[in-house]
Amino acid sequence: MLSKERMMKNILIGTIIFLLIGGCNKYEDGPTISFVSPIDRITNSWKYDEVFRNGLDITAGEQTQDLIYTKSSIGFAEDGRFSYIEDYRDSALETGDGFWEFNDNKTIITLIYDDANKPNRTLNLTRLERRFLWFSENLNGNNVLTFKMVSNE
């Protein structure tokens, strides 16, 4: 049987470990801890669940270049390639491919399109799980897009 002093020491060590793990949140919205690598978590086909521009819900496409997010998707492959489908309200469906890469601490993704006419995009990850991918993108300094995506699987 453990002595009272030893039991208190174990509780203190457990509390410290719990607080350290809880304080190591890489992504603002989670997860707190994951045993799956960021590459394994992002490698997936994703559909847009909610999209906001400066807090305004634009998921259905009424407030932005008529992109209908609910009919659009993106997929990331383990080899660093991505493919996308964008459905615009008053024009044809747009599809394409490119390369994606993490920054060193896996909190930012850069999209580099094969189409030289499309500018690279920088996405700031706020949540990265096997079933949820949330990120934000700064446009022109004053506009922020916030994306909440869910797995297509």
Side-chain angles (χ1 to χ4, degrees), residues 14-69:
T15 302
I16 290 171
I17 290 171
F18 178 77
L19 291 174
L20 287 175
I21 290 173
C24 295
N25 230 7
K26 182 181 283 193
Y27 305 108
E28 181 180 319
D29 295 311
T32 300
I33 189 168
S34 177
F35 298 107
V36 179
S37 76
I39 291 174
D40 287 342
R41 283 181 272 161
I42 200 164
T43 301
N44 207 341
S45 175
W46 301 95
K47 61 184 177 182
Y48 295 90
D49 189 40
E50 296 178 288
V51 181
F52 300 91
R53 183 176 186 159
N54 300 329
L56 177 66
D57 188 345
I58 59 170
T59 310
E62 292 91 3
Q63 301 296 323
T64 145
Q65 308 171 337
D66 292 325
L67 177 58
I68 307 168
Y69 289 101

Side-chain angles (χ1 to χ4, degrees), residues 2 4 16 24 76 79 114 133 146:
L2 292 175
K4 186 174 185 178
I16 290 171
C24 295
F76 296 96
D79 66 358
D114 288 346
L133 170 61
T146 303

Side-chain angles (χ1 to χ4, degrees), residues 53-138:
R53 183 176 186 159
N54 300 329
L56 177 66
D57 188 345
I58 59 170
T59 310
E62 292 91 3
Q63 301 296 323
T64 145
Q65 308 171 337
D66 292 325
L67 177 58
I68 307 168
Y69 289 101
T70 55
K71 295 181 180 179
S72 302
S73 62
I74 191 168
F76 296 96
E78 193 172 351
D79 66 358
R81 297 285 294 162
F82 75 93
S83 297
Y84 66 92
I85 299 170
E86 294 178 344
D87 191 353
Y88 289 89
R89 188 171 303 285
D90 296 323
S91 62
L93 195 67
E94 183 179 320
T95 62
D97 302 290
F99 289 93
W100 69 271
E101 61 188 22
F102 278 121
N103 67 340
D104 288 340
N105 65 356
K106 311 281 191 285
T107 57
I108 295 174
I109 298 175
T110 302
L111 302 182
I112 304 157
Y113 291 87
D114 288 346
D115 179 352
N117 294 320
K118 288 189 76 90
N120 295 349
R121 294 174 65 193
T122 301
L123 312 176
N124 301 296
L125 296 174
T126 59
R127 184 175 184 181
L128 179 57
E129 298 180 30
R130 282 296 295 152
R131 299 185 53 84
F132 300 101
L133 170 61
W134 294 3
F135 55 88
S136 64
E137 181 178 20
N138 291 319

